[in-house]
């Protein structure tokens, strides 16, 4: 589940009223141009003696473009053109939100339920011994199974409230607590973000429509540890441009994870994600970030998904989430009066994927897989 905080300066962190992070940055992409090999021709009347002898040598040579390179260039241009032709769907509207579901008394509950205020971000990086790692694996594996099950429910006419109810039931039957429920007053057990909703969508009575996309964000609290993961699912016949956005977003997550290991700098994550997103003309949302996770739902380190100069390095035994959000257009957002549901300002679709990972000596272990 994405954490939100606000940065007043590049190096100082403050909490906001929702799981948000704001920081301005700029990025650019470049293309390499290949010149056609053409001679520089001079009129014989203007050349004399040694000049005319040099005529044959005055030739500009250019790098030859291979057939594969040219094919990839043409394919990329067609993909970008296809993306730009995307037709917006009708704006997302709030349905009826039903009362929160009960949790049996015997299930251990996280400490933040004692208050409706959003908990402060814990400054402690969450490091684990062998026992803690085993408990993290168990919580994350359960979260992954619940998410996979939730994905099987996605189809036209199903309501996000029905998905929430099914997720809630599966989690409590496993003896765990649905972490979002009651976190800062959040009224449901899972986040369901449809189409232009970037994140924190509250399940309601709205039926999913053919062609929708939906991010389902599952976090469970099991034996004192949180496991956090999300995925964007297709509902029915989704347009090719939106399917491509989803595919590239998942690839961005994979590339971000690929640079993680003991001693690696956190800023490498944002660099890898940004490079891949920009290749396809997509934008990386800067306001929402990954976070440390473990016995505490949200803690340091804050994981930025865009290019940045945030200091700090990963340490073996550390757990945190990486959860990039990509858009086809604006990365600016607007939040509904419920103080949770956050949408793109231009109504364009947003996609997100998330894993909880464990830093190892040589790489990263994805914990939220099953």
């Amino acid at each position: 589940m994405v954490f939100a905080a606000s940065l007043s300066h590049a190096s100082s962190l403050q909490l906001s009223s929702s799981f948000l992070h704001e920081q301005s940055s700029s990025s650019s992409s470049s293309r390499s141009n290949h010149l056609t090999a053409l001679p520089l021709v001079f009129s014989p009347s203007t050349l004399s003696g040694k000049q005319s002898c040099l005529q044959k040598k005055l030739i500009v040579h250019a790098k030859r473009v291979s057939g594969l390179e040219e094919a990839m260039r043409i394919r990329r241009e067609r993909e970008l053109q296809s993306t730009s032709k995307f037709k917006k769907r009708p704006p997302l509207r709030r349905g009826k939100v039903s009362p929160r579901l009960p949790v049996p008394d015997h299930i251990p509950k996280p400490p933040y339920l004692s208050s409706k205020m959003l908990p402060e971000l814990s400054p402690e990086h969450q490091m684990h011994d062998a026992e803690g790692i085993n408990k993290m694996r168990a919580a994350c594996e359960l979260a992954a199974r619940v998410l996979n099950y939730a994905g099987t429910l996605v189809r036209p006419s199903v309501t996000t409230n029905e998905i929430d109810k099914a997720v809630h039931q599966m989690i409590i039957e496993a003896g765990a607590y649905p972490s979002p429920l009651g976190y800062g007053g959040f009224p449901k057990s899972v986040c369901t973000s449809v189409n232009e909703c970037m994140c924190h969508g509250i399940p309601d009575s709205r039926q999913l429509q053919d062609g929708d996309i939906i991010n389902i964000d599952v976090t469970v609290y099991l034996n004192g540890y949180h496991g956090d993961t999300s995925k964007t699912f297709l509902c029915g016949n989704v347009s090719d441009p939106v399917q491509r956005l989803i595919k590239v977003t998942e690839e961005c997550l994979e590339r971000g994870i690929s640079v993680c290991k003991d001693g690696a700098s956190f800023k490498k994550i944002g660099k890898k994600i940004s490079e891949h997103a920009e290749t396809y003309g997509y934008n990386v949302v800067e306001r929402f970030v990954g976070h440390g996770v473990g016995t505490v739902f949200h803690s340091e380190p804050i994981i930025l998904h865009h290019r940045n100069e945030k200091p700090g390095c990963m340490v073996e035994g550390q757990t945190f989430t990486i959860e990039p959000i990509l858009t086809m257009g604006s990365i600016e957002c607007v939040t509904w009066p419920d103080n949770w549901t956050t949408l793109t300002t231009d109504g364009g679709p947003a996609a997100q994927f998330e894993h909880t990972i464990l830093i190892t000596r040589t790489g990263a272990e994805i914990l939220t897989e099953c």
Side-chain angles (χ1 to χ4, degrees):
M1 191 174 190
V2 282
F3 185 81
S6 170
L7 289 185
S8 56
H9 300 289
S11 60
S12 63
L13 180 68
Q14 295 179 331
L15 291 177
S16 68
S17 60
S18 64
F19 313 158
L20 309 174
H21 164 77
E22 299 178 11
Q23 180 182 18
S24 61
S25 68
S26 60
S27 60
S28 61
S29 58
S30 61
R31 296 183 179 178
S32 58
N33 296 318
H34 299 288
L35 299 176
T36 304
L38 294 175
L40 297 180
V41 180
F42 295 89
S43 170
S45 61
T46 63
L47 299 174
S48 63
K50 294 181 180 180
Q51 289 178 311
S52 62
C53 293
L54 292 172
Q55 181 178 359
K56 294 181 180 180
K57 298 181 181 179
L58 295 175
I59 297 176
V60 176
H61 293 279
K63 178 182 177 182
R64 182 180 296 274
V65 181
S66 71
L68 177 60
E69 288 175 322
E70 181 66 9
M72 291 299 292
R73 181 189 67 79
I74 293 172
R75 177 183 175 184
R76 187 64 46 75
E77 288 184 353
R78 287 176 177 172
E79 287 178 343
L80 294 177
Q81 290 173 359
S82 177
T83 297
S84 65
K85 294 178 181 178
F86 169 74
K87 184 178 180 180
K88 292 181 182 178
R89 297 178 64 78
L92 191 65
R93 303 297 184 195
R94 163 65 71 216
K96 182 179 179 181
V97 178
S98 60
R100 60 186 289 176
L101 297 170
V103 178
D105 292 337
H106 71 274
I107 292 179
K109 300 171 180 62
Y112 50 74
L113 296 184
S114 60
S115 172
K116 290 186 177 181
M117 298 294 293
L118 192 70
E120 292 187 359
L121 175 72
S122 172
E124 299 297 326
H125 290 226
Q126 301 196 59
M127 312 293 296
H128 308 283
D129 57 16
E131 181 182 0
I133 289 174
N134 286 335
K135 289 184 176 181
M136 277 297 295
R137 286 194 179 114
C140 289
E141 191 270 342
L142 173 60
R145 284 194 290 113
V146 172
L147 179 61
N148 287 347
Y149 170 63
T152 67
L153 305 177
V154 175
R155 61 182 181 274
S157 79
V158 169
T159 68
T160 51
N161 193 62
E162 289 173 312
I163 294 174
D164 176 77
K165 185 176 181 180
V167 164
H168 180 90
Q169 189 64 30
M170 184 174 180
I171 292 173
I172 63 173
E173 286 179 357
Y177 183 88
S179 302
L181 186 63
Y183 183 85
F186 192 82
K188 291 292 183 176
S189 299
V190 68
C191 296
T192 52
S193 303
V194 178
N195 296 337
E196 69 266 36
C197 183
M198 289 181 176
C199 57
H200 304 155
I202 298 176
D204 60 23
S205 63
R206 179 190 181 276
Q207 292 183 331
L208 293 175
Q209 306 296 312
D210 184 61
D212 281 350
I213 61 173
I214 176 174
N215 177 271
I216 302 178
D217 193 337
V218 173
T219 313
V220 305
Y221 183 68
L222 178 66
N223 297 323
Y225 288 76
H226 296 273
D228 192 359
T229 185
S230 84
K231 181 177 181 179
T232 299
F233 297 93
L234 309 177
C235 181
N237 300 303
V238 175
S239 68
D240 289 342
V242 176
Q243 287 193 48
R244 186 176 303 111
L245 172 68
I246 292 172
K247 179 176 181 292
V248 172
T249 305
E250 185 170 22
E251 291 171 350
C252 282
L253 172 60
E254 293 167 354
R255 280 161 173 75
I257 294 173
S258 71
V259 299
C260 294
K261 65 178 181 179
D262 180 52
S265 60
F266 289 112
K267 65 183 181 182
K268 287 186 175 181
I269 297 173
K271 183 175 184 294
K272 272 291 185 180
I273 291 173
S274 295
E275 286 175 347
H276 192 61
E278 290 162 3
T279 299
Y280 290 87
Y282 300 135
N283 301 306
V284 181
V285 173
E286 299 176 7
R287 190 172 183 180
F288 297 97
V289 299
H291 53 88
V293 64
T295 56
V296 178
F297 196 172
H298 296 103
S299 76
E300 288 281 1
I302 291 296
I303 306 300
L304 306 181
H305 303 115
H306 60 284
R307 284 189 177 86
N308 66 90
E309 293 300 325
K310 181 177 174 64
C313 294
M314 307 167 204
V315 180
E316 184 179 2
Q318 185 177 43
T319 52
F320 55 82
T321 70
I322 303 177
E323 41 191 314
I325 303 174
L326 267 60
T327 69
M328 289 183 177
S330 175
I331 61 171
E332 299 303 316
C333 60
V334 59
T335 302
W336 281 356
D338 60 27
N339 291 325
W340 292 103
T341 309
T342 304
L343 284 64
T344 59
T345 54
D346 62 2
Q352 182 185 30
F353 284 81
E354 173 187 12
H355 275 309
T356 296
I357 66 171
L358 167 69
I359 298 302
T360 68
R361 186 171 303 174
T362 58
E365 178 185 343
I366 299 175
L367 299 179
T368 41
E369 288 185 327
C370 60

